Amino acid sequence: PGDPASLAKLTEVMQAFFGGGGKVIDSSPMYGSAETRVGDVLGAMQNAPPVFVATKVWTSGAERGIAQMEESARRMRVKVFDLMGVHNLTEWKTQLATLRRWKGEGRVRYIGITTSHGRDHAQLLEVMRSEPLDFVQFSYNIEDREAEQALLPLAQERKIATMINRPYQQGALFGKSRGHTLPELATQLDCSSWAQFYLKFIIGHPAVTCIIPATDVPSHMADNMLANFGRVPDAAQREEMLRIFASL
């Protein structure tokens, strides 16, 4: 909500984000009032660093898509989006045609397609093979590794940037590691929490561009952002992380 107490808390979240070197903010009209709150907080912050602003179009019909994207720009207070994606492949041919035109006109810098929940991978792969995309977004984490089979290799082959959602499997990963001491490997990778351990596993994949863990809790944001620093696991260390996770 947009009450003073909520906005104060969200400002703390954003300050922790910037303090940890954060650059990418991803939203969608699907996420309730999230776009508006991002605009409110950024608009009220003094000397906020530059932000890579991403959101999505999530409707049917070209005209409704245009109206929705223009409304997103008003809500998030941006003139040119860094990235606009078609949310969950919703009428993707229609919306992607508009996005290609907008990119040519300089109204968006990058365009893409998104999915989540591990759904629609076959269709997403088809679009990635046939369309000139800049970004794709999908779910990937240490437990849900389906993306390793085809999505991540194809993105790497076609030089498509990847934005990873659900890095904590909607929090389910913490249920497995709760009460367990961090392994020695975590120290070697400069991780001080299980959250950072899980994020570093994803970061270690060579086809991953960025990760978008969602939070409205300042301490969680500060913890997440520490994964931006220190050593990144190599292939052998990622295999050891998988072994550790399987033993929890």
Side-chain angles (χ1 to χ4, degrees):
D3 59 86
S6 295
L7 290 174
K9 178 183 176 185
L10 294 177
T11 299
E12 286 186 57
V13 171
M14 200 72 81
Q15 288 169 337
F17 172 73
F18 287 130
K23 298 179 185 300
V24 177
I25 298 178
D26 172 75
S27 193
S28 171
M30 182 184 185
Y31 308 154
S33 57
E35 291 180 324
T36 303
R37 293 293 84 81
V38 168
D40 290 344
V41 173
L42 289 178
M45 291 182 71
Q46 294 183 352
N47 302 317
V51 179
F52 184 102
V53 181
T55 194
K56 309 174 186 78
V57 55
W58 181 57
T59 189
S60 59
E63 293 305 315
R64 282 193 291 270
I66 290 169
Q68 187 178 74
M69 291 188 291
E70 290 175 341
E71 178 62 21
S72 293
R74 286 190 289 271
R75 290 173 174 174
M76 298 184 79
R77 306 190 191 191
V78 297
K79 293 182 179 179
V80 176
F81 278 105
D82 293 291
L83 169 62
M84 182 69 72
V86 181
H87 196 131
N88 285 341
L89 294 145
T90 304
E91 204 167 301
W92 68 267
K93 290 183 179 180
T94 298
Q95 306 306 343
L96 203 56
T98 299
L99 290 181
R100 281 195 294 266
R101 187 173 72 253
W102 274 32
K103 183 179 178 181
E105 296 170 353
R107 300 184 69 177
V108 297
R109 292 178 62 205
Y110 302 111
I111 61 175
I113 297 279
T114 82
T115 186
S116 58
H117 311 278
R119 300 179 305 193
D120 304 317
H121 282 188
Q123 188 178 11
L124 179 58
L125 285 165
E126 179 183 337
V127 178
M128 289 171 67
R129 293 187 183 105
S130 62
E131 300 290 336
L133 302 175
D134 300 310
F135 271 82
V136 287
Q137 182 184 136
F138 47 80
S139 302
Y140 176 56
N141 56 65
I142 199 168
E143 183 175 70
D144 176 10
R145 296 167 54 219
E146 183 181 344
E148 292 178 357
Q149 297 174 21
L151 287 173
L152 286 164
L154 182 61
Q156 194 168 18
E157 175 189 331
R158 292 185 60 82
K159 294 180 171 56
I160 302 172
T162 61
M163 190 175 282
I164 304 302
N165 61 46
R166 297 175 179 257
Y168 301 134
Q169 195 72 333
Q170 290 190 287
L173 301 186
F174 297 116
K176 296 197 174 186
S177 54
R178 187 172 293 113
H180 291 271
T181 302
L182 277 171
E184 173 60 27
L185 179 58
T187 302
Q188 296 172 20
L189 295 172
D190 302 298
C191 297
S192 57
S193 70
W194 282 106
Q196 296 162 41
F197 183 87
Y198 293 139
L199 292 176
K200 284 280 181 92
F201 173 81
I202 300 171
I203 292 168
H205 195 291
V208 167
T209 305
C210 66
I211 311 173
I212 48 170
T215 186
D216 63 356
V217 180
S219 62
H220 290 178
M221 179 61 82
D223 190 9
N224 289 341
M225 299 310 288
L226 288 174
N228 283 327
F229 304 95
R231 287 161 284 190
V232 175
D234 59 24
Q237 289 171 318
R238 291 180 83 244
E239 287 299 319
E240 177 64 8
M241 295 171 92
L242 287 170
R243 189 198 65 76
I244 292 167
F245 181 72
S247 71
L248 296 177

